[in-house]
């Protein structure tokens, strides 16, 4: 008469019937106020009213006595029980759920009015992980339901191995779990739970991703190559994963279809390249670890470069190896392989090293660097000259004798003239200019005379004018 919503009254009446132990009447009352969710895959446990019912039933566990209840089983209750059983697809847990009328009631209400997450969480609460997994598969629930309902509770309660065993038992190839497992990996990565991630990737036999996780274990948080020296076991694990992957790929080539669809794929060429990178990183690590231990290490940077970074970082590794040995020659071989393997811009790296050597006032080492570059067999004609020219921006700091020695080491007279001009050594520039072929010599001397005039060097200006 007053037009109020009767739902609350039906719910209270239903709860009263439950408390009185009259399960069939409770179902009838709840049927008038409870509604199934619009989306069974929503990430909650359904309406508050349904949760209250489940909470009460779970807290009032009564063993079922078939003989006593026979008289009270109405046709409707029998139908409801059959419906529950068909809904749950015969996935009843052995033990307490199957033989308890109150747990059966929970399942009835969950299947009638609950979300998939609520059903799965109920199974998980009562140690029925297998049933939770089968329900997830049968309903094709999204991966979020797997993460919330099964995966998080499993690793939080230390049952990850049990979960892995069940996944394998239900589907030995793990194909039906692919979407869920990849989602679990992404979740763990977001949370920075890399140890659980690595364990899961090994279970999935996802060797390429496992190798990538090992790279993170190797590089993350290390402040020095002494620290990386103690983490070399991870490099061996990376190689092991990549080798196993290669074996599996070569085995599956004989079959018509590649079995692993959710595992990360990589071409054999790329895998071999990565194995080569790991080998080279091991050499770099041993070398730099030894340099740091013996105290020859000079460079201190904010980040620690490894060969697993981008090209700029790889170039930093090559520089570091050359600069941290007893002399340039000691680390040049490894640095040269880094430059060759990754096809890096060699002249840029050599110039960077030369500039560092100027800062460290090791001018003899610059000449050693040029010797190594020329003997490497792949240097272009002007590489050595360009390295010196790049250094000369710092010429104010280089003592006169060392500066002359460096310029004398240059191959091309044109480059020597350019170098002398850069260093304001106009008389030296004039002396090299006049040795050139007549037409070119005139051009060069005219240029030097102009520079002398601009800088107010009357002596050199006069010499140039006299020669011209």
């Amino acid at each position: 008469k007053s037009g109020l919503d009767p739902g609350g009254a039906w719910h209270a009446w239903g709860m009263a019937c439950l408390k009185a132990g009259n399960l069939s009447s409770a179902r009838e009352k709840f049927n008038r106020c409870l509604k199934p969710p619009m989306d069974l895959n929503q990430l909650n446990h359904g309406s508050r009213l349904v949760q209250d019912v489940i909470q009460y039933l779970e807290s009032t566990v009564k063993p079922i006595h078939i003989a006593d209840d026979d008289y009270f089983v109405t046709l409707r209750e029998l139908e409801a029980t059959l419906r529950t059983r068909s809904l749950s697809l015969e996935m009843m847990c052995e033990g307490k759920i199957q033989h308890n009328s109150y747990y059966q009631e929970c399942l009835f209400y969950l299947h009638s009015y609950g979300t998939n997450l609520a059903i799965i969480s109920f199974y998980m609460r009562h140690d029925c992980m297998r049933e939770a997994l089968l329900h997830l598969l049968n309903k094709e629930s999204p991966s979020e339901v797997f993460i919330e309902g099964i995966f998080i509770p499993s690793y939080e309660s230390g049952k990850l191995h049990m979960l892995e065993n069940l996944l394998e038992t239900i589907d030995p190839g793990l194909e039906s779990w692919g979407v869920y497992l990849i989602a679990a990996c992404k979740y763990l990565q977001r949370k920075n739970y890399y140890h659980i991630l690595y364990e899961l990737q090994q279970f999935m036999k996802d060797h390429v991703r496992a190798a990538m996780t090992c790279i993170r274990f190797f590089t993350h948080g290390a402040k020095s190559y002494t620290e990386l020296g103690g983490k070399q076991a991870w490099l061996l694990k990376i190689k092991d994963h990549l080798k196993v992957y290669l074996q599996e790929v070569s085995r599956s080539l004989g079959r018509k279809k590649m079995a692993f669809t959710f595992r990360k794929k990589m071409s054999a060429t790329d895998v071999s390249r990565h194995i080569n990178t790991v080998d080279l990183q091991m050499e770099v690590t041993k070398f730099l670890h030894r340099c740091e231990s013996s105290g020859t290490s000079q460079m201190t940077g904010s980040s620690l470069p490894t060969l697993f970074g981008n090209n700029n970082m790889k170039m930093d590794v090559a520089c570091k190896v050359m600069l941290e040995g007893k002399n340039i020659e000691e680390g040049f071989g490894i640095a040269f392989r880094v430059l060759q393997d990754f096809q890096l811009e060699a002249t840029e790296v050599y110039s960077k090293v030369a500039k560092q050597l100027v800062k460290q006032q090791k001018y003899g080492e610059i000449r050693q660097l040029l010797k190594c570059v020329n003997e490497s067999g792949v240097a272009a004609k002007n590489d050595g000259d360009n390295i010196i020219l790049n250094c000369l921006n710092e010429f104010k700091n280089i003592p006169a004798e060392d500066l002359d020695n460096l310029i004398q080491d240059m191959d091309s007279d044109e480059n020597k003239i350019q170098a002398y001009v850069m260093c304001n050594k106009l008389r030296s520039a004039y002396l090299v200019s006049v040795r050139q072929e007549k037409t070119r010599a005139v051009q060069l001397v005219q240029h030097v005379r102009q520079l002398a005039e601009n800088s107010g060097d009357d002596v050199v200006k006069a010499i140039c004018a006299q020669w011209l």
Side-chain angles (χ1 to χ4, degrees), residues 318-325 327-328 331-332 335 349-350 353 369:
C319 290
K320 196 172 173 67
V321 168
M322 280 190 264
L323 288 164
E324 296 213 358
N327 52 43
I328 288 292
F332 188 83
V349 173
Y350 298 143
V353 171
L369 172 66

Side-chain angles (χ1 to χ4, degrees), residues 56 74 83 105 126 138 231 253 294 305 409 434:
Y56 174 75
T74 62
R83 182 177 164 218
E105 279 308 290
H126 299 291
N138 288 322
K231 291 171 132 190
L253 286 177
S294 64
D409 281 344
V434 296

Side-chain angles (χ1 to χ4, degrees), residues 81-92 104 107 111 119 123 131 134-135 138-139:
T81 308
L82 288 171
R83 182 177 164 218
T84 307
R85 296 215 161 204
S86 64
L87 275 169
S88 55
L89 295 155
E90 291 301 334
M91 295 188 306
M92 291 302 145
Q104 291 294 320
L107 284 171
H111 281 288
I119 297 166
Y123 281 132
E131 286 66 29
L134 288 172
H135 183 85
N138 288 322
K139 298 295 179 188

Side-chain angles (χ1 to χ4, degrees), residues 23 43 88 94 128 134 140 222 237 266 299 450:
L23 303 183
L43 286 182
S88 55
E94 288 304 315
C128 297
L134 288 172
E140 295 179 357
K237 284 188 177 177
M266 195 179 272
M299 285 177 80
Q450 186 61 54

Side-chain angles (χ1 to χ4, degrees), residues 20 124 129 145 184 230 240-241 326 362 396 411 422 450:
M124 291 295 286
M129 195 186 282
V145 174
D240 289 344
H241 284 300
K326 287 198 288 286
K362 294 182 176 176
K396 293 183 185 67
D411 292 325
M422 278 174 75
Q450 186 61 54

Side-chain angles (χ1 to χ4, degrees), residues 190-377:
R190 278 199 309 275
K191 288 282 190 180
N192 287 331
Y193 295 162
Y194 283 95
H195 288 280
I196 303 175
L197 173 65
Y198 182 51
E199 188 185 321
L200 190 63
Q201 286 167 336
Q202 289 179 93
F203 161 73
M204 292 159 66
K205 297 184 175 58
D206 194 347
H207 294 291
V208 175
R209 286 193 180 97
M212 288 157 78
T213 305
C214 291
I215 290 174
R216 189 190 182 277
F217 283 135
F218 174 71
T219 55
H220 186 67
K223 298 282 188 291
S224 69
Y225 262 89
T226 306
E227 279 181 53
L228 286 184
K231 291 171 132 190
Q232 288 185 76
W234 288 115
L235 293 176
L236 294 171
K237 284 188 177 177
I238 298 168
K239 270 181 79 171
D240 289 344
H241 284 300
L242 295 175
K243 282 177 178 173
V244 171
Y245 177 77
L246 277 182
Q247 287 165 4
E248 288 186 356
V249 168
S250 60
R251 273 205 301 271
S252 66
L253 286 177
R255 302 179 204 141
K256 286 181 184 174
K257 185 181 158 210
M258 184 100 165
F260 350 104
T261 48
F262 63 90
R263 296 171 181 94
K264 190 168 179 65
K265 292 186 187 67
M266 195 179 272
S267 71
T269 321
D270 282 348
V271 175
S272 302
R273 202 161 38 80
H274 286 304
I275 290 174
N276 191 40
T277 301
V278 174
D279 285 334
L280 200 47
Q281 180 63 53
M282 284 177 105
E283 274 192 65
V284 167
T285 306
K286 282 173 186 163
F287 178 78
L288 291 175
H289 182 203
R290 198 171 66 242
C291 293
E292 285 182 5
S293 305
S294 64
T296 57
S297 173
Q298 300 256 347
M299 285 177 80
T300 49
S302 51
S303 66
L304 194 64
T306 69
L307 298 178
F308 299 119
N310 57 20
N311 277 359
N312 284 339
M313 195 184 260
K314 288 176 181 126
M315 287 162 89
D316 288 346
V317 171
C319 290
K320 196 172 173 67
V321 168
M322 280 190 264
L323 288 164
E324 296 213 358
K326 287 198 288 286
N327 52 43
I328 288 292
E329 201 169 4
E330 191 186 16
F332 188 83
I334 297 175
F336 183 71
R337 275 180 53 208
V338 170
L339 298 175
Q340 290 293 294
D341 283 7
F342 300 107
Q343 297 177 329
L344 301 173
E345 192 53 61
T347 316
E348 194 182 326
V349 173
Y350 298 143
S351 297
K352 229 174 171 180
V353 171
K355 282 177 182 171
Q356 278 292 329
L357 292 170
V358 170
K359 281 183 187 167
Q360 294 171 16
Q361 301 183 341
K362 294 182 176 176
Y363 309 110
E365 289 289 300
I366 298 176
R367 299 177 83 179
Q368 178 78 60
L369 172 66
L370 297 173
K371 179 172 171 283
C372 290
V373 170
N374 290 328
E375 288 173 0
S376 68

Side-chain angles (χ1 to χ4, degrees), residues 111-173:
H111 281 288
S112 304
Y113 311 110
T115 59
N116 285 325
L117 181 58
I119 297 166
I120 284 167
S121 299
F122 174 80
Y123 281 132
M124 291 295 286
R125 278 200 301 281
H126 299 291
D127 298 325
C128 297
M129 195 186 282
R130 180 187 169 81
E131 286 66 29
L133 287 167
L134 288 172
H135 183 85
L136 179 88
L137 267 192
N138 288 322
K139 298 295 179 188
E140 295 179 357
S141 291
S143 47
E144 292 82 5
V145 174
F146 170 73
I147 303 287
E148 285 288 322
I150 299 175
F151 186 69
I152 295 175
S154 294
Y155 78 71
E156 283 183 346
S157 59
K159 291 181 180 170
L160 192 57
H161 283 299
M162 182 179 163
L163 171 63
E164 290 172 352
N165 290 339
L166 278 170
L167 294 174
E168 217 163 19
T169 309
I170 295 168
D171 177 3

